[in-house]
Amino acid sequence: MKWKLTGRYLLSVVLVVVLVIFINVFISFALLIVQLGFDIPIVLEKETSPEQFTREFQDRIQIVDHVVTISEEGKNELLAKNAWLQVMDENGKVIADYRVPEGVKTKYTPTDIIQMYKYQEVNGDTTVFIGEKGSGDRHYSYFIGIENPNLNRYVLFYDNHVLFQMFKTGSVIFVIDILIACWIGYMFSKRLTQPLHALIDGIKNLANHQFLIPMQSQGIYENVFDNVNQLSTQLQANEKERKKLDQLKEEWIANISHDIKTPLASIQGYSEMIKDPDYDFTLDEIREYAGIIEQKSLYIKAVMEDLHLTTRLKNKELSIQKKTINMVTLLRSIVIDIVNDPKYAYRQIEFQPTEEHISVEADEILLRRAITNLIYNAIVHNDPDVKIVVKIEMRERAYMIIQDNGKGIKKEELNRIFDRYYRGTNTGEAHKGSGLGMAIANDIIQAHDGEIAIHSEEGHGTRVEIQL
């Protein structure tokens, strides 16, 4: 895998270089063809070369009765080129000239002509070109010197044997250069791909649930390594939470299974007894048994409703129907309903509002369910003589307190109080619930963009604070 990744990286670098070279060459040839075909100056300026200008200048030299003259057009072209002209007969004597600088010879031997053509014999800025003009049985030669410091001519001599040797040496050097380039490319690619190998291994570890292997940040991928490490930490925390939740679910399923089997057994037993013709129950006995069946059925129904509600709250499928309500009125009605319950008629529950009207935007049904759960928790998890105080006041937001002086909650349990399926050790046999009441209350408060906090000390009671 590592060699494959390094090879692909190296191949991609080489292909990019080759592709760039190919595109540049292709574009250059294409532009040159367009210039030559359509006479558009794209690559090179459309201008006659000095050699071609010299050859074509013979048309500007006129010979009449062996008298040599230069046409006006030729003179203008020489002026435009910043050039001068010397015309010589067959003996090398200058018989016509134009714009010749001082110090230039007026008669040339064959050696002088070669020297003049090959080397700059006039000055460092002038390059001399030679041409020929024929007229009848006579032939004339001419020099055109172009004064242009950017114009240069070099005479090249070469030996085929030397060229061949140079080609062989160049081929060896080229192969060595390719090998060096590949080695450098490999080292460069390896250095860049090593962190990728580490990243791939790290991601494999995450996929295999190996979250405890931190990766050291490397090179240009430092931020990527940091993010992967953060992901590893988050996945590790999520895995712990998942295991804890799975354990709670297993415990909850075992408890709920037991709790549901017990009322179902009662329902089944009393139903069989009532319908059995061998038994002759009085009306009072039938009503008593029917009451027990109803009570057990309501318990099972409450458990099912809690399950349905917590699932919808968790998946955010529950629609919150908000409207303006008076929280003082709502809390007062909740307290009155609980006190009117015959089971709790003798409990000490006080309602202490600081004012008579505190408006909030909320779903009254859901909020009633949450607050009722919290008050019932204070009742059923404490002794009958517990005192419960329900307060409400207006700060920056509606601020509610449900406080008791009961048993309190252990510190290790307080951190799990809002976990789904969790039952505290204070839950007595007579008051086993679904284990979802506190989680439902928390979810409802959060669904209203509110905050809920619990403060408790074992043996000194519990204080629940709600802000909406």
Side-chain angles (χ1 to χ4, degrees):
M1 178 64 185
K2 294 181 178 180
W3 279 102
K4 189 176 181 180
L5 183 61
T6 303
R8 285 184 176 180
Y9 193 94
L10 177 60
L11 180 62
S12 64
V13 172
V14 173
L15 287 178
V16 167
V17 173
V18 172
L19 185 61
V20 169
I21 294 174
F22 174 78
I23 291 174
N24 288 337
V25 172
F26 176 79
I27 292 175
S28 298
F29 274 109
L31 293 176
L32 184 60
I33 291 172
V34 170
Q35 173 176 302
L36 296 176
F38 299 96
D39 197 25
I40 301 174
I42 300 175
V43 180
L44 300 172
E45 260 185 57
K46 196 69 175 177
E47 185 178 355
T48 304
S49 67
E51 292 280 0
Q52 184 178 356
F53 172 75
T54 301
R55 288 194 300 270
E56 294 177 353
F57 197 82
Q58 62 177 320
D59 298 332
R60 310 293 187 264
I61 299 175
Q62 300 170 351
I63 303 175
V64 179
D65 295 333
H66 305 296
V67 177
V68 178
T69 58
I70 304 167
S71 67
E72 289 299 323
E73 184 180 359
K75 292 179 180 180
N76 292 334
E77 290 178 356
L78 290 172
L79 285 172
K81 291 278 187 180
N82 195 23
W84 50 266
L85 172 71
Q86 281 186 320
V87 183
M88 297 157 288
D89 60 15
E90 295 174 340
N91 297 319
K93 182 180 179 181
V94 177
I95 57 176
D97 58 28
Y98 181 70
R99 298 186 74 245
V100 178
E102 295 182 1
V104 178
K105 296 181 178 180
T106 57
K107 182 175 176 56
Y108 296 90
T109 64
T111 302
D112 293 334
I113 293 174
I114 294 173
Q115 287 290 105
M116 179 69 84
Y117 179 73
K118 281 187 176 183
Y119 309 108
Q120 295 177 337
E121 294 292 336
V122 180
N123 56 54
D125 295 335
T126 302
T127 304
V128 179
F129 300 88
I130 190 169
E132 185 179 9
K133 173 74 174 180
S135 177
D137 57 348
R138 292 193 176 186
H139 293 274
Y140 301 91
S141 299
Y142 58 89
F143 284 137
I144 292 182
I146 301 176
E147 188 174 350
N148 184 351
N150 297 319
L151 185 62
N152 293 283
R153 180 181 60 230
Y154 299 94
V155 180
L156 180 65
F157 300 94
Y158 62 90
D159 186 333
N160 289 333
H161 178 71
V162 174
L163 284 179
F164 179 71
Q165 289 295 108
M166 290 177 63
F167 175 76
K168 288 200 305 183
T169 304
S171 299
V172 173
I173 294 174
F174 177 76
V175 172
I176 293 174
D177 288 343
I178 290 294
L179 293 176
I180 292 174
C182 290
W183 180 77
I184 293 174
Y186 166 73
M187 297 302 294
F188 181 70
S189 302
K190 184 178 179 181
R191 184 174 180 83
L192 286 178
T193 54
Q194 273 181 342
L196 292 179
H197 300 154
L199 281 173
I200 292 172
D201 292 339
I203 293 171
K204 286 181 179 178
N205 291 333
L206 295 181
N208 294 326
H209 300 280
Q210 298 176 8
F211 306 125
L212 301 177
I213 306 176
M215 292 186 293
Q216 185 177 1
S217 301
Q218 299 182 30
I220 61 175
Y221 303 105
E222 182 177 356
N223 291 335
V224 180
F225 278 96
D226 291 340
N227 289 329
V228 172
N229 285 331
Q230 290 179 8
L231 176 62
S232 177
T233 303
Q234 184 62 45
L235 289 176
Q236 181 182 355
N238 291 345
E239 182 67 12
K240 289 181 179 179
E241 182 67 22
R242 184 191 65 79
K243 289 180 178 179
K244 184 180 76 171
L245 191 60
D246 287 344
Q247 182 180 359
L248 287 173
K249 282 183 179 179
E250 291 176 2
E251 295 174 357
W252 175 82
I253 290 173
N255 292 331
I256 286 295
S257 298
H258 176 267
D259 292 350
I260 291 179
K261 283 180 181 178
T262 301
L264 280 177
S266 299
I267 292 171
Q268 183 180 0
Y270 285 114
S271 300
E272 290 175 351
M273 289 172 60
I274 292 173
K275 77 174 184 178
D276 193 331
D278 294 336
Y279 289 92
D280 186 14
F281 295 104
T282 65
L283 182 59
D284 290 338
E285 288 176 328
I286 293 174
R287 286 177 177 172
E288 179 185 354
Y289 298 156
I292 295 173
I293 291 173
E294 181 186 23
Q295 179 184 357
K296 303 300 182 181
S297 300
L298 289 175
Y299 171 80
I300 296 174
K301 179 182 177 183
V303 171
M304 295 301 105
E305 287 179 349
D306 282 354
L307 280 173
H308 180 63
L309 180 58
T310 189
T311 301
R312 295 183 67 188
L313 286 169
K314 180 181 178 181
N315 297 330
K316 301 187 184 302
E317 295 177 353
L318 189 64
S319 177
I320 306 296
Q321 304 295 331
K322 289 185 178 182
K323 63 179 181 180
T324 302
I325 61 174
N326 184 356
M327 282 302 303
V328 177
T329 302
L330 177 61
L331 283 179
R332 180 180 285 112
S333 67
I334 292 173
V335 171
I336 291 173
D337 288 343
I338 293 174
V339 172
N340 287 336
D341 188 333
K343 291 186 297 183
Y344 310 120
Y346 299 100
R347 295 299 181 99
Q348 300 182 55
I349 304 178
E350 295 183 7
F351 179 52
Q352 301 176 358
T354 58
E355 48 191 292
E356 284 301 318
H357 193 93
I358 297 177
S359 297
V360 297
E361 293 289 328
D363 187 314
E364 183 174 356
I365 296 175
L366 291 178
L367 210 53
R368 176 182 287 271
R369 175 70 177 275
I371 295 172
T372 301
N373 282 356
L374 296 172
I375 297 177
Y376 269 126
N377 272 345
I379 294 174
V380 301
H381 297 314
N382 288 302
D383 296 330
D385 59 349
V386 68
K387 181 179 180 181
I388 301 170
V389 178
V390 180
K391 300 179 181 179
I392 182 170
E393 60 185 72
M394 190 65 188
R395 299 182 180 179
E396 294 181 358
R397 295 190 286 177
Y399 183 77
M400 291 166 280
I401 299 174
I402 301 171
Q403 186 171 355
D404 65 69
N405 61 349
K407 300 176 182 178
I409 304 171
K410 295 179 180 179
K411 185 176 181 181
E412 58 270 20
E413 294 180 356
L414 193 62
N415 296 328
R416 302 173 61 186
I417 198 72
F418 292 128
D419 290 348
R420 289 179 174 83
Y421 320 117
Y422 177 69
R423 285 175 170 178
T425 55
N426 281 350
T427 304
E429 291 294 328
H431 300 292
K432 283 189 176 179
S434 64
L436 296 169
M438 293 299 289
I440 289 173
N442 182 48
D443 289 342
I444 291 174
I445 298 300
Q446 290 186 352
H448 284 79
D449 299 322
E451 298 176 6
I452 180 170
I454 295 185
H455 309 281
S456 183
E457 184 179 350
E458 193 173 4
H460 293 82
T462 302
R463 176 187 178 94
V464 181
E465 299 177 356
I466 302 170
Q467 297 186 67
L468 289 177

